[in-house]
Amino acid sequence: MAKIYCIANQKGGVGKTTTAVNLAAALSQLSFNVLLVDLDPQGNATTGSGLEKNNLVQSVYEVLLDRADIKKVITHSTSGYDILGSNRKLAAAEEELLSAARKELRLKTKLDEVSGQYDVIIIDCPPTLSILTINAFCAADSVLVPIQCEFYALEGVGQLINTIQLVKKSLNKSLDIEGVLMTMFDYRTNLSNEVYSEVKKYFKDKVYKNTIPRNIRLAESPSFGLPIML
Ligand code: ATP
Ligand code: MG
């Protein structure tokens, strides 16, 4: 069975999608079988993987609502990994799921069908703690939290940790925090170092020693539908 990571932080623009796409590509270059799940109605991971999100015939939306077979919706990306794409339609799923049975476990049930075909599954979450993110927490073995090196970095982190702990208590006992990744680190500023220290005080050994530098190529690569190494 695949190891399933979800990339989550309800703060917007902290580097979740950039991490998801580039991690998927890097692991697939290392010969792992990887599935990337775009669980965000913005569809950024879909676009960043070279797919035209508005032309998807079916997407993660139809899969979650039992209207399509996950095996038929997954496609192969030019970057080497498989992808379950998403687009604006997924926004409707949030409402439709609220009245559905086992609404938190929809994604888990679907991923169980394909998990045996992959080494790693990476779920890119939306910038909310909605039912979509709860579905990701229920399906995942662990959560990778990207934090942007900026002044308000830790704002909302308490709420994120509470939500993870609630899910751990009730729906997914094995859920853990995989690690905390500092993104858009700028070596020229004191701020980045100060934020790193603050985050380290809070998360201790969970913070990765390696940080992701602010890098224009990383910002440009989604417009080519490619990860940074390609
Ligand atoms: P959202 O919450 O909207 O889903 P996100 O957390 O997925 O956002 P990204 O989309 O990965 O964040 O990144 C936000 C923006 O910052 C994007 O324009 C992205 O290209 C850019 N970006 C991400 N990481 C870096 C980096 N290390 N250097 C420069 N730009 C970056
Ligand atoms: Mg994103």
Side-chain angles (χ1 to χ4, degrees), residues 9 11-19 40 42 44 124-127 183-185 212-216 218-220 222:
N9 184 341
K11 221 163 146 48
V14 297
K16 293 180 287 297
T17 302
T18 304
T19 304
D40 185 349
Q42 296 180 100
N44 294 149
D124 183 29
C125 289
T183 64
M184 297 181 238
F185 195 97
I212 306 300
R214 190 173 274 285
N215 179 304
I216 189 69
L218 260 182
E220 285 171 351

Side-chain angles (χ1 to χ4, degrees), residues 89-109:
K89 273 192 287 180
L90 185 61
E94 298 195 35
E95 248 189 86
E96 291 174 60
L97 277 178
L98 286 180
S99 55
R102 290 162 54 86
K103 56 178 184 282
E104 299 94 349
L105 298 170
R106 289 282 164 142
L107 182 64
K108 179 183 169 42
T109 311

